[in-house]
Amino acid sequence: KLPTMKMLLSLIALLSAALLANASPPTCYSRVLSLSKEITESFKELQTSKAVDSCVEMLPRLYLDIHNYCVLAKLRDFVAYPRCERVLEVSELKEKARSLYTIMISYCRRDLVFLTDDCSALENPILAPVEPS
């Protein structure tokens, strides 16, 4: 019984070490990427929500591609949009957009590489086809 327990503990220790090795701290790029995806998804949910205020329909389109230099102007425009202050979800989304903008221009400025400056691509994105599950 004792050798089996030792083997089980060794296996648990090995698996724990493997998990810790894969859990690296987030990089600036990974943080920007995940926050931009989170903002884009929140915006989509806000637009399809049943409790949509009429001002939400007038919000600037918010599709974010952090590899497109125009994303900085897109974030500035969205945060500065003067309407919808009374809609909590919009205020929260603007705060996330403000955070992303700050991270991109301050903390990650040297880490990001912009592959394009095609502003129309942020207005009319070509979305990748959904892969069957």
Side-chain angles (χ1 to χ4, degrees):
K1 199 171 189 181
L2 189 58
T4 307
M5 184 61 92
K6 276 187 174 182
M7 193 182 328
L8 183 60
L9 288 174
S10 296
L11 183 61
I12 290 172
L14 183 64
L15 289 173
S16 297
L19 286 174
L20 288 174
N22 288 334
S24 60
T27 62
C28 228
Y29 176 76
S30 65
R31 177 65 183 132
V32 167
L33 189 60
S34 67
L35 187 54
S36 69
K37 287 179 180 179
E38 182 182 327
I39 291 169
T40 300
E41 289 303 313
S42 294
F43 182 72
K44 286 179 189 175
E45 289 172 11
L46 182 64
Q47 284 190 314
T48 59
S49 169
K50 297 286 186 211
V52 167
D53 192 279
S54 61
C55 73
V56 172
E57 296 171 4
M58 303 303 290
L59 283 171
R61 185 183 185 113
L62 194 59
Y63 167 74
L64 303 178
D65 175 2
I66 63 163
H67 301 104
N68 187 333
Y69 185 74
C70 293
V71 75
L72 296 172
K74 174 63 85 179
L75 288 166
R76 276 193 313 266
D77 291 347
F78 186 79
V79 169
Y81 190 72
R83 297 190 182 136
C84 298
E85 294 91 12
R86 59 182 158 60
V87 179
L88 180 62
E89 293 86 354
V90 174
S91 296
E92 290 172 352
L93 195 56
K94 283 185 176 186
E95 193 55 42
K96 285 182 185 178
R98 184 178 292 111
S99 294
L100 178 60
Y101 180 80
T102 301
I103 291 168
M104 290 181 76
I105 65 165
S106 299
Y107 305 110
C108 298
R109 186 170 38 111
R110 292 186 181 104
D111 296 342
L112 298 177
V113 175
F114 297 107
L115 304 175
T116 183
D117 62 352
D118 181 5
C119 296
S120 66
L122 295 178
E123 295 302 319
N124 303 303
I126 299 171
L127 301 175
V130 176
E131 294 180 18
S133 6

